Amino acid sequence: MSFQIPRGTQDILPGEVEKWQFIEKTARDLCERYQYKEIRTPIFEHTELFARGVGESTDIVQKEMYTFLDRKGRSITLRPEGTASTVRAFVEKKLYANPSQPTKLYYIGPMFRYERPQTGRFRQFVQFGIEALGSNDPAIDAEVISLAMSLYQTLGLKSLKLVINSLGDAESRIAHREALIAHFEPRIGEFCSDCQKRLQQNPLRILDCKKDHDHELMASAPSILEYLNDESKAYFNKVQQYLTSNGIDFEVDPGLVRGLDYYNHTAFEIMSNAEGFGAITTLCGGGRYNGLAKEIGGPETPGIGFALSIERLLAALDAEGVSLPISSSIDCYLVAMGEAAKDRTVSLLFEMRKAGLKAEKDYEDKKVKAQFKAADRHQAKYVAVLGEDELVKNVISVKNMETGTQEEVPIDGVIEYLKQQRN
Ligand code: HAM
């Protein structure tokens, strides 16, 4: 019997995994600069958290969750996203009581959605996300957006488009909701069964429907921007002002509604404009969710964040032909000729590693020529050859693989020699 990987998942093998590590390190360094601290929450949560947090009427909750009963009959769900869990931890662990506010958190980890797999869409994917809880300052909206843009730019992406919108506060949303119902209701029979349910449940979701995307009522639907009250308008203007004054280009798209229910005020997405990127161009999505902490049993706390997947980021790097500066070279490959020399290289190898050098040797009793080939595959900067003659003289022959020059060095001094070459 042979096994295959489940649909929509990936094995990330050596050669590829270094890119992931590089991206993750860049993200962590950036978070350090912006003072976001890491949070690690469980891979699974009680289903109710996502039903409440992400929203009953969303595709995620309706169709895409990996939900099962545990042995005690409790409904458990593999997390489809990171915001609900982060806010749950913020509430449960009373992070709001810390003197230092806002609470700025980030996470990197796998998420699970039962979607139809295609390029850029997986059933298990890794999100890097940040959440800032406890501030209603539009400057933090600009900060969150700036961090996402910085990550992409630091990694070398150029063809990016930032799209923003405001979904307004509760009052604005109620006014917009009524306008949407009035707009769609007379012809709701022409829409899919999901949209018919959405009409009363959450008419904003209709605008995001993939099936009814081309219906003529979609383009003429009332725009949220016309229904923003003065406060919401002022907030949105301030966010735009901060983006502009900090050199972050953006477009306002009143059609950007996002696929999760918890949003209000600022919503944004970052797309790739790169040619040949494929159908799914959204790299990153986020926004403000001022009611979420209260919704899941905590104190009224404003919040904003984003999430992006490493999978789509890698696809964008590929589409733009950006290669990450990853080096997998080693300091020294040890080549042994003869049994006695082999024994000596084993201890030398261990000593090299203790001294902090990246070192490797052959374990298959290969011929000398094949050992040199292996050294090349490891991109060794130096190859140190120990044969019987060298052993008698207590020296080792060190070859610089870049210049081709070779030197005999006392065995006891070779580690110091290699360390000096490295500096
Ligand atoms: P989202 O728009 O559902 O938002 O997902 C954010 C990002 O996750 C997407 O832009 C995409 O990069 C990635 N993503 C989503 N689904 C898949 C998939 N099936 N395969 C590969 N990548 C995927 C959220 O998840 C919100 N929690 C974001 C947020 C944080 N809002 C506020 N804070």
Side-chain angles (χ1 to χ4, degrees), residues 82-97:
T83 310
S85 308
T86 304
V87 176
R88 195 250 329 121
F90 172 83
V91 170
E92 190 177 345
K93 299 296 168 340
K94 299 192 171 50
L95 301 187
Y96 48 82

Side-chain angles (χ1 to χ4, degrees), residues 177-393:
R177 182 193 147 88
E178 279 163 13
L180 285 172
I181 295 178
H183 179 74
F184 287 115
E185 199 164 29
R187 291 174 63 187
I188 195 67
E190 297 165 28
F191 285 75
C192 72
S193 58
D194 281 343
C195 280
Q196 295 185 10
K197 273 185 242 144
R198 286 169 183 145
L199 183 70
Q200 291 304 328
Q201 219 178 15
N202 187 352
L204 200 64
R205 286 269 75 78
I206 298 178
L207 302 177
D208 213 18
C209 180
K210 287 163 198 130
K211 283 187 214 143
D212 294 321
H213 188 256
D214 295 326
H215 193 288
E216 60 173 329
L217 285 191
M218 290 294 211
S220 57
S223 152
I224 177 70
L225 295 183
E226 292 158 28
Y227 291 85
L228 293 185
N229 58 17
D230 289 347
E231 224 175 289
S232 300
K233 250 185 236 160
Y235 193 92
F236 192 38
N237 286 339
K238 199 75 189 167
V239 173
Q240 294 181 58
Q241 180 203 313
Y242 282 133
L243 291 175
T244 307
S245 62
N246 288 291
I248 301 172
D249 292 336
F250 61 88
E251 269 174 35
V252 174
D253 177 0
L256 177 76
V257 294
R258 306 276 302 126
L260 302 89
D261 275 355
Y262 45 61
Y263 291 113
N264 40 58
H265 289 288
T266 316
F268 68 96
E269 286 186 352
I270 301 169
M271 335 271 189
S272 169
N273 268 338
E275 246 176 75
F277 182 62
I280 301 174
T281 55
T282 306
L283 300 178
C284 169
R288 200 163 254 292
Y289 46 83
N290 289 351
L292 184 57
K294 183 130 192 265
E295 178 68 30
I296 60 177
E300 181 79 57
T301 313
I304 178 163
F306 72 75
L308 59 90
S309 71
I310 314 274
E311 287 80 356
R312 288 196 196 163
L313 169 48
L314 283 165
L317 290 167
D318 249 13
E320 288 199 32
V322 179
S323 48
L324 299 174
I326 290 162
S327 153
S328 47
S329 66
I330 63 170
D331 298 306
C332 182
Y333 193 93
L334 280 160
V335 171
M337 291 185 286
E339 199 53 35
K342 186 184 153 190
D343 290 349
R344 187 66 187 90
T345 53
V346 171
S347 23
L348 201 49
L349 181 70
F350 287 13
E351 286 161 29
M352 282 184 175
R353 290 168 176 169
K354 264 192 209 145
L357 294 171
K358 288 191 249 174
E360 187 54 297
K361 73 178 280 302
D362 158 63
Y363 289 104
E364 292 172 305
D365 280 333
K366 284 195 189 110
K367 299 256 161 53
V368 170
K369 208 172 149 201
Q371 292 190 46
F372 266 92
K373 274 202 183 146
D376 273 343
R377 275 196 295 275
H378 280 92
Q379 297 169 36
K381 292 184 192 132
Y382 288 85
V383 175
V385 185
L386 192 64
E388 320 237 299
D389 290 352
E390 282 94 353
L391 209 50
V392 172
K393 290 197 281 177

